[in-house]
């Protein structure tokens, strides 16, 4: 018996369409592509009004979808984890407390809590002090074992030349402040002032930057990767220096958020300075480990509920959030009433493999053939990921029937109003009436979502451009022409 999924009614319909009809692009789209110098085979697109294919152009061809892949991750997360899912961070210990001393290790267990921040850590440590803990006699243990491997970022080259940017952050199960440092730079004609948030224990900020005569708006042109300088003989709690490099315009003020510290260093120094500020003492080391089964709960924090996280993922096209949700599909089981719980797995079984399988099982259960689908991290920040317009459109149709359809649609940018669509198509009938997820990489532009046509019917629209000429707004012009055409059709 074949294990290949049966064709959906939609796929069967597309196979019956005349080839010439499938290949024809609307005139505004063809005109925009010709103006951009892109051949017609550089786009794959599908427009559905109900189960009727209004337009099908190479719709079964897997393409690089860029950030429209986030719709796959968020749709499956809503259905598999449930809208009550929340990530969790916990402080636990097996050590006894006597005379204000925790006589052993303090464990910080990560649970894919994307909202875990310095402020949250301070509240949790104050809760610890309120229980009578003045001193921690053991080590500070970081438990990232919800994901396997615990550190997916180690040894991975940056996606592009902006490795310190937030969109390049590779998440783990215990990410605080998204591992970002906020640097404030203020210059006069002669001097450069610096400030850093959050303050970290024994971390010094300095600059080896040249002040130049340049437009303040173009300050990023002179930014170079910062340098981390450690003590010659490293030791727990030792000094560290963050040195900014490059050039900076005179008489300029800017703020830049960067991801440059190893996350163990970041958490260690944030814990040390915060614990000291709340009145505690600590002389141990920060180490990685796992939480014993009998460790008691001392303090905890839960993230916002999944629908809010999904909204931030899609409206803002947040890669770290999408990657966290994708890995959560392979690490926790959701229940609408009971919340979530970790999935037991063997050490040889990676979280990615389980997440990939969770997505494919969901697709097959909805009659969607996953042939040609390639997942790397579920965010679309990838040169490898592939999905066809037919597969993504079928997912969006399933989203229309889902119990969580309102949550999914509320997460998508409103054309001409907010998110990544806020400045697009303001004078089109699609504005304010359509919800579209965008995707952009070098050589890739894509849109996917729901467009209300002239008859008031909601159409599913998916289009992906893979061509070197999509940059400079040319790809956007082609895709906007398609969305506008759909919004004006069907009257």
């Amino acid at each position: 018996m074949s294990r290949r999924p049966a064709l959906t009614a939609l796929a069967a319909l597309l196979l019956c369409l005349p080839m010439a009809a499938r290949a024809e692009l609307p005139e505004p789209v063809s005109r925009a592509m010709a103006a951009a110098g892109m051949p017609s085979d550089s786009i794959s697109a599908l427009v559905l009004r109900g189960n009727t294919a209004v337009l099908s152009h190479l719709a079964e061809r897997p393409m690089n979808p860029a950030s429209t892949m986030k719709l796959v991750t968020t749709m499956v997360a809503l259905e598999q984890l449930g809208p009550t899912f929340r990530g969790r961070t916990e402080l636990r210990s097996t050590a006894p407390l006597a005379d204000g001393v925790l006589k052993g290790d303090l464990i910080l267990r990560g649970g894919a809590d994307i909202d875990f921040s310095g402020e949250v850590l301070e509240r949790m440590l104050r809760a610890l002090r309120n229980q009578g803990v003045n001193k921690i006699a053991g080590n500070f243990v970081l438990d990232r074992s919800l994901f396997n491997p615990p550190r997916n970022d180690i040894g991975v080259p940056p996606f592009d030349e902006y490795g310190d940017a937030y969109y390049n952050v590779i998440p783990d199960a215990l990410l605080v402040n998204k591992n970002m440092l906020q640097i404030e730079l203020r210059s006069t004609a002669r001097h450069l002032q610096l400030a850093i948030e959050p303050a970290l224990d024994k971390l010094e900020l300095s600059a080896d930057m040249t002040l130049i005569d340049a437009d303040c708006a173009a300050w990023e042109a002179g930014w170079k990767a910062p340098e981390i300088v450690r003590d010659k003989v490293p030791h727990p709690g030792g000094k560290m220096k963050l040195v900014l490099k490059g050039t900076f315009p005179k008489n300029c003020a800017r703020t830049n958020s960067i991801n440059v510290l190893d996350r163990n260093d970041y958490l260690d120094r944030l814990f040390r300075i915060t614990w000291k500020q709340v009145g505690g003492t600590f002389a141990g080391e920060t180490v990685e480990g796992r939480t014993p089964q009998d460790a008691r709960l001392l303090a905890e924090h839960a993230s916002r509920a999944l629908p809010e996280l999904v909204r931030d993922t899609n409206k803002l096209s947040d890669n770290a959030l999408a990657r966290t949700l994708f890995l959560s599909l392979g690490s926790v089981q959701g229940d609408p009433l009971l919340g979530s719980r970790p999935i037991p797995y063997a050490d040889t079984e990676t979280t990615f493999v389980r997440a990939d399988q969770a997505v494919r099982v969901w697709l097959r259960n909805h009659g969607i053939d996953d042939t040609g689908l390639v997942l790397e991290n579920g965010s679309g920040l990838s040169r490898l990921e592939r999905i066809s317009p037919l597969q993504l459109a079928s997912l969006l149709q399933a989203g229309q029937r889902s119990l969580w359809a309102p949550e999914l649609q509320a997460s998508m940018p409103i054309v001409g109003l907010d998110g990544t669509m806020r400045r697009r198509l303001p004078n089109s009938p699609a504005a304010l009436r359509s919800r579209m997820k965008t995707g952009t990489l070098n050589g890739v532009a894509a849109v996917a979502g729901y467009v209300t046509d002239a008859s008031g019917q909601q159409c599913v629209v998916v289009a992906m451009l893979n061509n070197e000429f999509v940059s400079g707004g040319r790809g956007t012009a082609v895709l906007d022409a398609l969305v506008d055409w759909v919004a004006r059709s069907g009257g």
Side-chain angles (χ1 to χ4, degrees), residues 88-93 105-111 113 116-117 120-122 124-125 128 139-146 172-176 263 266-268 270-271 286-292 295-301:
R88 306 186 70 80
T89 306
E90 298 174 342
L91 279 176
R92 289 181 174 267
S93 183
D105 297 338
L106 177 67
I107 304 164
L108 184 65
R109 181 160 75 173
D113 175 3
F116 183 43
S117 65
V120 169
L121 178 62
E122 179 181 351
M124 294 173 73
L125 293 178
L128 197 62
N139 291 325
F140 184 47
V141 179
L142 308 179
D143 183 354
R144 295 187 172 93
S145 63
L146 181 68
D172 61 56
L174 186 55
L175 200 62
V176 62
R263 48 202 64 186
Y266 193 113
L267 251 173
D268 169 65
L270 183 61
F271 164 72
T286 295
V287 298
E288 293 184 332
R290 290 199 177 196
T291 306
R296 67 188 184 279
L297 181 65
L298 302 174
E300 63 182 333
H301 174 263

Side-chain angles (χ1 to χ4, degrees), residues 384-401:
L384 303 178
E385 291 194 321
R386 295 290 186 274
I387 192 171
S388 71
L390 174 58
Q391 290 166 329
L392 189 49
S394 298
L395 177 137
L396 287 169
Q397 281 192 316
Q400 290 175 313
R401 300 187 295 268

Side-chain angles (χ1 to χ4, degrees), residues 233-308:
V233 182
H235 58 90
K239 293 181 180 179
M240 180 183 292
K241 183 183 289 188
L242 173 60
V243 185
L244 305 184
K245 299 282 188 176
T247 62
F248 192 73
K250 297 176 182 177
N251 302 306
C252 181
R254 284 293 184 269
T255 299
N256 192 21
S257 293
I258 56 175
N259 166 41
V260 293
L261 285 189
D262 177 81
R263 48 202 64 186
N264 282 3
D265 280 329
Y266 193 113
L267 251 173
D268 169 65
R269 293 170 189 276
L270 183 61
F271 164 72
R272 288 178 187 274
I273 197 169
T274 307
W275 183 237
K276 191 184 303 180
Q277 288 170 348
V278 300
T281 59
F282 172 70
E285 298 183 25
T286 295
V287 298
E288 293 184 332
R290 290 199 177 196
T291 306
Q293 291 287 337
D294 58 343
R296 67 188 184 279
L297 181 65
L298 302 174
E300 63 182 333
H301 174 263
S303 73
R304 290 166 294 155
L306 183 59
E308 293 187 62

Side-chain angles (χ1 to χ4, degrees), residues 123-448:
R123 290 199 296 272
M124 294 173 73
L125 293 178
R126 287 192 183 279
L128 197 62
R129 290 281 287 117
N130 292 340
Q131 295 171 52
V133 179
N134 302 320
K135 178 180 178 180
I136 300 167
N139 291 325
F140 184 47
V141 179
L142 308 179
D143 183 354
R144 295 187 172 93
S145 63
L146 181 68
F147 295 164
N148 183 36
R151 293 282 300 272
N152 286 292
D153 61 301
I154 296 177
V156 178
F159 177 77
D160 56 20
E161 64 271 32
Y162 306 109
D164 60 2
Y166 170 59
Y167 71 82
N168 270 316
V169 170
I170 299 174
D172 61 56
L174 186 55
L175 200 62
V176 62
N177 291 334
K178 304 178 177 67
N179 211 57
M180 301 302 291
L181 293 171
Q182 184 171 290
I183 310 295
E184 184 178 303
L185 305 96
R186 292 181 178 274
S187 66
T188 64
R190 295 185 178 183
H191 302 288
L192 178 63
Q193 289 184 321
L194 305 173
I196 186 170
E197 286 289 338
L200 300 180
D201 189 56
K202 297 181 182 177
L203 175 67
E204 177 186 345
L205 178 63
S206 67
D208 181 15
M209 304 186 81
T210 303
L211 294 177
I212 60 173
D213 293 312
D215 183 359
C216 186
W219 67 274
E220 286 182 294
W223 180 267
K224 293 185 178 180
E227 180 184 1
I228 304 293
V229 181
R230 299 175 180 271
D231 285 347
K232 292 183 178 179
V233 182
H235 58 90
K239 293 181 180 179
M240 180 183 292
K241 183 183 289 188
L242 173 60
V243 185
L244 305 184
K245 299 282 188 176
T247 62
F248 192 73
K250 297 176 182 177
N251 302 306
C252 181
R254 284 293 184 269
T255 299
N256 192 21
S257 293
I258 56 175
N259 166 41
V260 293
L261 285 189
D262 177 81
R263 48 202 64 186
N264 282 3
D265 280 329
Y266 193 113
L267 251 173
D268 169 65
R269 293 170 189 276
L270 183 61
F271 164 72
R272 288 178 187 274
I273 197 169
T274 307
W275 183 237
K276 191 184 303 180
Q277 288 170 348
V278 300
T281 59
F282 172 70
E285 298 183 25
T286 295
V287 298
E288 293 184 332
R290 290 199 177 196
T291 306
Q293 291 287 337
D294 58 343
R296 67 188 184 279
L297 181 65
L298 302 174
E300 63 182 333
H301 174 263
S303 73
R304 290 166 294 155
L306 183 59
E308 293 187 62
L309 302 182
V310 166
R311 184 181 61 205
D312 283 358
T313 300
N314 287 333
K315 291 242 187 224
L316 305 178
S317 205
D318 191 308
N319 293 313
L321 251 173
R323 296 173 79 149
T324 301
L325 294 179
F326 178 74
L327 290 173
S328 294
L329 286 170
S331 60
V332 297
Q333 293 172 323
D335 186 289
L337 297 177
L338 302 178
S340 61
R341 59 189 184 277
I343 298 175
Y345 53 76
D347 287 340
T348 56
E349 193 172 29
T350 69
T351 302
F352 166 79
V353 168
R354 298 197 70 146
D356 180 89
Q357 186 65 18
V359 170
R360 293 178 187 277
V361 168
W362 185 90
L363 290 173
R364 294 166 188 167
N365 287 343
H366 286 77
I368 303 171
D369 187 349
D370 66 330
T371 302
L373 174 70
V374 179
L375 294 166
E376 185 180 16
N377 54 48
S379 75
L381 187 70
S382 167
R383 296 293 177 196
L384 303 178
E385 291 194 321
R386 295 290 186 274
I387 192 171
S388 71
L390 174 58
Q391 290 166 329
L392 189 49
S394 298
L395 177 137
L396 287 169
Q397 281 192 316
Q400 290 175 313
R401 300 187 295 268
S402 172
L403 288 174
W404 319 124
E407 284 74 16
L408 177 68
Q409 294 194 29
S411 78
M412 299 166 67
I414 302 171
V415 174
L417 183 63
D418 70 358
T420 56
M421 288 295 298
R422 66 188 180 280
R423 294 175 181 162
R424 292 172 64 170
L425 294 163
N427 301 315
S428 168
L432 309 183
R433 303 173 69 235
S434 303
R435 294 176 178 271
M436 302 296 295
K437 179 73 194 77
T438 61
T440 305
L441 289 173
N442 288 336
V444 181
V447 291

